[in-house]
């Protein structure tokens, strides 16, 4: 069976004070190859935890993740990750960062050189390939992180709020870039975001999660990602159904947040 | 007294030069820092003031020269010098029968380190005869004035006045000639004006230290040339530090990466860390004698714990997302160590290395003070036994300069190897 299966995952954190937090409860999901999934949800609903489990950094207390027929037991090059920030290697220049994966696998520059240079072109980093990381802006650094992940040619790309720290304009450019790369490379992508608009634009499928315990609340299948490929993202936002779906999801998350706040008040 | 004077002068120069530089020097720096309005509390905006550094060094040098009467600095900057030359005073002797007679004492005050030669004097008339005595600058002479007098203290004569001013046993008197006192036994003790300068035996003038440096650089000291002395100390430090780093850094990494290693070595490291290396000197001498082995082992121990702790801190300072990213990119454990953990810990390692080098340099000098046949510490220790303060001072200055030089080299290396430090 190809694709990525999340099979009935639960995650409980045991705290040092004897209590425990149920971060995820019975989460199941199947992603076909080449699908683009965005995940939304109020803060603390377990999105990062879910992604860390899929990446293999955490072992779930129950359930398992199956990837192309084998169970996930740890991190692997087949599942690449793009972090929000701070994951680039400052002691390497841009090109060395991007070629890190192939180099670690012992490949020669002959093998990866043209691929890496192509990715540097696509992400607009060609002129910066010899620069140090600290000389780049935040947006450029995220493009390096994206290119580094792609250079490794993973089957699945996991992104935890990759554009969260960027300004609105850079963010829109990067959203276009993600869509373009998704279409060109045909990768399976899971993208976590806090922005409903981003989730709508970058989600062929969109998952809304609910907190306490973290679970899947609702799933959508959306046409906007397909429409956005190679086109004008702002025009997509005027498309039929976009505004109404956005309002619906916003209201949904708003209610959940309110529920959390309400519970906090009851505790006090 | 003199110490307080020097401190006052120093503080005065500090304050005065602050305002002077402030009013006289127009800052023309136009870099980014100069545009910052908040500098108090922003450490990155605090830069070392070049003028302050220059004035600070010059001030220390000037004070040193001034209070030692250095020939290198103009006379008007000298602190009052002790009196040197010929002077005289008269004393009035009263015989038991109440008659009085005056006699003059000619005093030849000779400069530091010069031979004392009593001046020839004409005895004069009366029962009190003139005397001639010699005394070193700043020293006190006890003048047995009656050795040549016709009526002596044994006969019941006593001094009642000096230069016309009355004086009696146990009291003292200061005039422009100097300070006088009568001892219990009635002898005159005389101290010529001391001035405010230090005696060379306490603090030699800069030129004395410099000429010592030239002399020892040419002829060596105690059978070894100056370069051998310094070279030995440096070699011990470098050898001890290298051994310490070669063992300490992997140890620190192991402690940062493995439960077993951390559990095993933590008690040892935590126990050894607060033990100052100086406290190990006696044990090392008992075990290994005073030869090179003992010294290098001492320095090895001094740097081992520092480097181990620095390396461990370096590992714990690695951002976990970098490690996760490397794993997701397919790196093996060894590759993560080599390409992520080691480079990421370099800043910590360098900080540790600078501390370790400083500690080693201080420890080697101390170890050589205790026992060595060559080395910078041995040089100043032997010199101090012979009260050769100029050699002691020369040694201290060289030790300081070399330590400073080592630190500058380490910082250079750091900037070259860790250009991203503090910039991410
Ligand atoms: N290491 C941990 N130890 C204990 N509890 C944890 C740990 N990591 C996460 N949690 C808890 O699990 C729950 C989910 O956390 P998670 O970080 O997955 O949320 P999130 O959806 O990513 O939130 P955000 O949108 O703010 O990033 C939270 O209640 C959190 O307190
Ligand atoms: Mg999160």
């Amino acid at each position: 069976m190809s694709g990525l299966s999340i099979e009935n995952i639960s995650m409980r954190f045991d705290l040092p004070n004897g209590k425990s937090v149920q971060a995820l409860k019975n989460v199941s999901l199947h992603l076909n190859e080449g699908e683009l999934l965005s995940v939304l949800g109020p803060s603390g609903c377990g999105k990062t935890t879910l992604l860390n489990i899929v990446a293999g950094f955490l072992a779930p207390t129950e359930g398992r993740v199956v990837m192309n027929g084998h169970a996930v037991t740890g991190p692997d090059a087949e599942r690449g990750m793009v972090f929000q920030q701070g994951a680039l290697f400052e002691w390497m220049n841009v090109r060395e960062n991007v070629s890190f994966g192939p180099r670690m696998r012992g490949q020669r520059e002959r093998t990866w050189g043209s691929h890496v240079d192509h990715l540097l072109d696509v992400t607009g980093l060609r002129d910066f390939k010899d620069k140090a990381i600290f000389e780049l802006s935040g947006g450029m650094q995220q493009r390096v992180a994206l290119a580094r992940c792609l250079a490794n040619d993973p089957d699945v790309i996991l992104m935890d709020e990759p554009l969260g720290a960027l300004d609105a304009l850079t963010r829109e450019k990067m959203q276009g870039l993600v869509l373009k790369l998704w279409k060109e490379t045909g990768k399976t992508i899971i993208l976590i975001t806090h922005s409903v608009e981003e989730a709508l634009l970058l989600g062929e499928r969109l998952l809304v999660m609910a907190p306490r315990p973290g679970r899947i609340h609702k799933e959508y299948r959306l046409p906007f990602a397909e429409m956005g490929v190679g086109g004008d993202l702002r025009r997509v936002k005027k498309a039929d159904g976009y505004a109404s779906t956005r309002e619906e999801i916003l209201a949904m998350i708003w209610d959940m947040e309110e529920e959390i706040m309400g519970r906090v008040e009851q505790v006090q | 007294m003199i110490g307080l004077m020097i401190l006052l002068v120093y503080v005065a120069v500090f304050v005065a030069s602050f305002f002077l530089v402030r009013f006289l020097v127009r800052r023309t720096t136009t870099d980014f820092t100069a545009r910052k309005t908040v500098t108090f509390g922003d450490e990155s905006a605090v830069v070392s003031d070049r003028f302050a550094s220059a004035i600070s060094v010059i001030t220390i040098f000037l004070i040193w020269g001034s209070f030692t009467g250095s020939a290198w600095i103009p006379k008007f900057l000298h602190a009052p010098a002790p009196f040197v030359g010929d002077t005289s005073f008269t004393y009035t002797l009263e015989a038991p029968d109440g008659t009085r007679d005056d006699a003059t004492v000619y005093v030849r005050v000779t400069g530091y380190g010069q031979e004392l030669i009593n001046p020839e004097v004409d005895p004069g008339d009366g029962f009190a005869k003139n005397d001639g005595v010699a005394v070193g600058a700043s020293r006190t002479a006890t003048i047995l004035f009656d050795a040549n007098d016709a009526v002596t203290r044994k006969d019941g004569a006593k001094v009642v006045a000096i230069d016309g001013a009355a004086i009696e046993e146990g009291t003292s008197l200061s005039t422009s000639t100097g300070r006088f006192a009568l001892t219990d036994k009635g002898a005159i003790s005389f101290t010529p004006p001391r001035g405010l300068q230090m005696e060379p035996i306490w603090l030699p003038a800069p030129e004395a230290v410099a000429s010592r440096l030239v002399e020892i650089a040419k002829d060596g000291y105690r059978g070894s040339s100056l370069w051998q002395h310094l070279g030995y100390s440096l070699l011990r430090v470098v050898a001890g530090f290298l051994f310490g780093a070669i063992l300490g850094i992997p140890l620190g990494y192991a402690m940062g990466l493995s439960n077993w290693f951390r559990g095993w070595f933590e008690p040892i490291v935590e126990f050894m860390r607060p033990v100052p290396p100086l406290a190990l000197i006696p044990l090392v001498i008992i075990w290994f004698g005073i030869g090179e082995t003992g010294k290098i082992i001492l320095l090895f121990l001094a740097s081992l714990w520092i480097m181990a702790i620095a390396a461990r801190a370096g590992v714990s300072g690695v951002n976990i997302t970098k490690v996760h990213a490397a794993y997701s990119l397919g790196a093996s454990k060894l590759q993560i160590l080599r390409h992520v953990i080691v480079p990421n810990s370099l800043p910590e390692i360098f900080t540790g290395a600078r501390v370790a080098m400083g500690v080693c340099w201080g420890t080697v000098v101390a170890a050589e003070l205790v026992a060595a046949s060559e080395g910078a510490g041995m040089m100043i220790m032997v010199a101090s036994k012979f009260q050769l303060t100029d050699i002691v001072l020369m040694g201290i200055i060289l030790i300081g300069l070399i330590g400073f030089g080592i630190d500058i080299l380490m910082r250079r290396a750091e900037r070259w190897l860790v250009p991203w430090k503090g910039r991410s």
Side-chain angles (χ1 to χ4, degrees):
Chain A
M1 193 174 83
S2 75
L4 178 77
S5 281
I6 295 169
E7 298 179 356
N8 203 28
I9 278 185
S10 296
M11 184 74 200
R12 201 183 63 246
F13 288 104
D14 292 321
L15 303 177
N17 61 12
K19 291 183 189 157
S20 64
V21 180
Q22 190 75 38
L24 292 173
K25 193 163 169 92
N26 302 334
V27 176
S28 291
L29 179 76
H30 181 80
L31 274 180
N32 289 317
E33 235 177 280
E35 275 188 318
L36 174 59
L37 173 81
S38 58
V39 181
L40 265 178
S43 187
C45 70
K47 305 183 292 293
T48 299
T49 308
L50 181 65
L51 209 68
N52 279 335
I53 290 171
V54 174
F57 303 138
L58 285 175
T61 40
E62 276 169 55
R64 59 176 197 158
V65 177
V66 178
M67 166 102 196
N68 293 337
H70 61 266
V72 165
T73 53
D76 190 286
E78 68 185 9
R79 280 161 281 122
M81 184 113 173
V82 179
F83 296 88
Q84 186 170 4
Q85 58 186 177
L88 295 178
F89 307 129
E90 285 93 358
W91 44 93
M92 299 177 191
N93 66 26
V94 169
R95 195 159 184 269
E96 288 165 336
N97 261 285
V98 173
S99 59
F100 184 82
R103 285 191 293 124
M104 290 306 106
R105 265 181 279 126
Q107 292 180 1
R108 296 293 171 92
E109 179 159 358
R110 250 186 292 126
T111 322
W112 53 256
S114 57
H115 183 39
V116 164
D117 286 336
H118 170 69
L119 285 170
L120 288 171
D121 280 348
V122 173
T123 48
L125 292 164
R126 181 214 283 259
D127 297 338
F128 301 92
K129 63 180 198 293
D130 296 322
K131 284 256 193 284
I133 294 303
F134 55 76
E135 294 174 290
L136 304 183
S137 73
M140 285 152 100
Q141 292 188 7
Q142 273 326 78
R143 277 183 274 158
V144 176
L146 203 58
R148 183 176 71 174
C149 186
L150 287 167
N152 207 34
D153 206 20
D155 297 335
V156 175
I157 298 178
L158 309 170
M159 305 194 199
D160 191 355
E161 297 179 39
L163 315 181
L166 305 182
D167 66 280
L169 276 177
T170 314
R171 194 165 180 163
E172 208 173 296
K173 281 250 156 44
M174 290 286 290
Q175 289 166 348
L177 180 62
V178 170
L179 274 183
K180 183 175 156 205
L181 291 170
W182 168 62
K183 209 63 212 173
E184 274 178 12
T185 60
K187 304 274 178 212
T188 314
I189 298 180
I190 302 181
L191 178 130
I192 290 179
T193 175
H194 266 135
S195 152
V196 176
E197 302 223 331
E198 188 167 284
L200 288 172
L201 289 173
L202 300 186
E204 215 187 355
R205 295 170 64 184
L206 191 161
L207 216 60
V208 181
M209 290 181 67
R212 295 158 196 252
R215 64 208 125 95
I216 295 175
H217 182 73
K218 186 155 185 182
E219 198 192 320
Y220 292 84
R221 283 187 178 270
L222 301 166
F224 309 117
E226 204 65 57
M227 289 161 69
V229 173
D232 185 354
L233 289 183
R234 260 164 283 176
R235 229 182 39 222
V236 175
K237 292 181 187 175
K238 295 198 191 85
D240 279 348
Y242 182 91
S244 58
T245 319
R246 189 186 65 191
E247 290 313 312
E248 185 185 323
I249 295 174
L250 270 175
M252 199 183 297
I253 294 179
W254 183 258
D255 283 347
M256 289 185 224
E257 296 273 16
E258 208 153 59
E259 199 181 336
I260 297 171
M261 299 299 187
R263 276 195 212 171
V264 169
E265 269 161 23
Q266 279 166 22
V267 169
Q268 279 167 348
Chain B
M1 230 309 269
I2 298 182
L4 198 69
M5 279 280 306
I6 294 176
L7 188 69
L8 280 178
V9 171
Y10 189 75
V11 172
V13 172
F14 177 89
V15 174
S17 55
F18 172 76
F19 287 109
L20 265 180
V21 169
R22 221 166 177 210
F23 287 126
L24 294 184
V25 181
R26 187 166 295 130
R27 303 282 155 161
T28 48
T29 45
T30 49
D31 65 346
F32 172 58
T33 305
R35 311 298 312 163
K36 286 187 181 177
T37 54
V38 174
T39 54
F40 187 90
D42 180 358
E43 204 271 339
S44 69
V46 176
V47 286
S48 177
D49 189 315
R50 297 277 151 225
F51 287 101
S53 304
I55 295 174
S56 164
V57 173
I58 293 172
T59 302
I60 288 186
F61 181 78
L62 283 183
I63 288 182
W64 180 14
S66 166
F67 282 85
T68 51
S70 167
W72 281 358
I73 65 167
K75 272 256 156 47
F76 70 92
L77 283 174
H78 283 185
F83 178 82
V84 172
D86 288 337
T87 182
S88 64
F89 61 90
T90 58
Y91 65 91
T92 308
L93 195 67
E94 189 181 87
D97 58 4
T99 55
R100 292 184 174 192
D101 186 22
D102 288 353
T104 306
V105 179
Y106 296 92
V107 186
R108 178 157 295 162
V109 184
T110 60
Y112 294 123
Q114 279 167 3
E115 205 185 337
L116 304 182
I117 301 166
N118 289 0
E120 299 275 327
V121 297
D122 169 27
D125 5 284
F127 61 83
K129 307 286 190 216
N130 298 344
D131 300 89
V133 291
V135 62
S138 289
R139 303 268 171 217
T140 299
T142 300
I143 299 164
L144 305 174
F145 57 91
D146 54 353
N148 59 354
D149 292 355
V151 186
T152 66
R153 283 176 289 162
K154 250 191 221 135
D155 304 329
K158 59 182 182 198
V159 174
V160 291
I162 288 195
D163 279 342
I167 191 169
E168 44 183 290
E169 274 174 29
T171 65
S172 62
L173 177 72
S174 287
T175 72
S176 59
T177 315
R179 192 169 170 283
F180 300 94
L182 289 189
T183 66
D184 298 344
K185 296 201 171 121
I188 302 170
S189 80
F190 167 64
T191 315
R194 282 204 158 122
L196 287 172
Q197 292 184 4
M198 312 277 282
E199 287 188 44
I201 193 144
W202 295 337
L203 182 68
E207 62 263 30
V209 176
S211 66
R212 262 304 181 196
L213 176 65
V214 172
E215 179 197 321
I216 292 181
K218 248 199 282 178
D219 306 337
Y221 185 67
R222 297 259 142 185
S224 306
S225 76
L226 177 66
W227 315 119
Q228 276 171 330
H229 281 299
L230 298 177
Y232 262 104
S233 300
L234 258 178
L235 220 68
R236 288 165 183 154
V237 165
V238 170
F241 169 76
L242 281 183
F243 286 127
I246 286 171
L247 207 74
I249 294 175
L251 179 64
Y253 282 146
M255 288 177 71
L257 295 169
S258 144
N259 295 343
W260 185 256
F261 272 92
R262 175 168 295 192
W264 189 278
F265 287 106
E266 194 148 61
I268 303 176
V269 171
E270 293 301 327
F271 173 77
M272 287 307 292
R273 177 175 36 186
V275 176
L278 299 187
L280 298 175
I281 292 179
L283 192 64
V284 166
I285 289 178
I286 293 172
W287 283 358
F288 303 100
I290 61 168
E292 294 308 314
T293 325
K295 288 193 184 61
I296 290 176
I297 286 177
L298 181 73
L299 298 175
F300 161 74
L301 289 174
S303 54
L304 176 65
W305 315 120
I306 299 176
M307 293 314 292
I309 288 164
R312 188 182 62 180
V315 179
S316 65
V318 177
N319 190 343
I320 186 62
T321 60
K322 290 197 200 334
V323 177
H324 278 172
Y327 272 117
S328 305
L329 290 166
S332 67
K333 282 184 183 171
L334 213 64
Q335 287 173 326
I336 285 181
L337 180 66
R338 156 84 183 75
H339 295 287
V340 180
I341 292 172
V342 169
N344 201 75
S345 61
L346 278 183
E348 296 275 356
I349 301 252
F350 264 102
T351 310
R354 276 174 61 195
V355 174
M357 270 304 219
V359 169
C360 279
W361 185 240
T363 307
V364 80
V365 171
E368 290 165 353
L369 288 178
V370 176
S373 52
E374 58 281 295
M378 167 269 176
M379 204 161 61
I380 62 179
M381 194 61 202
V382 172
S384 83
K385 287 195 180 127
F386 296 97
Q387 300 207 322
L388 294 168
T389 320
D390 41 6
I391 297 184
V392 173
L393 219 59
M394 178 201 83
I396 290 173
I397 292 173
L398 288 177
I399 288 168
L401 284 178
I402 292 174
F404 189 43
I406 291 174
D407 201 59
I408 287 179
L409 283 183
M410 303 280 281
R411 268 192 264 182
R412 281 269 162 80
E414 178 171 18
R415 220 175 307 153
W416 180 59
L417 282 170
V418 197
W420 65 88
K421 185 180 182 180
R423 304 184 67 168
S424 57

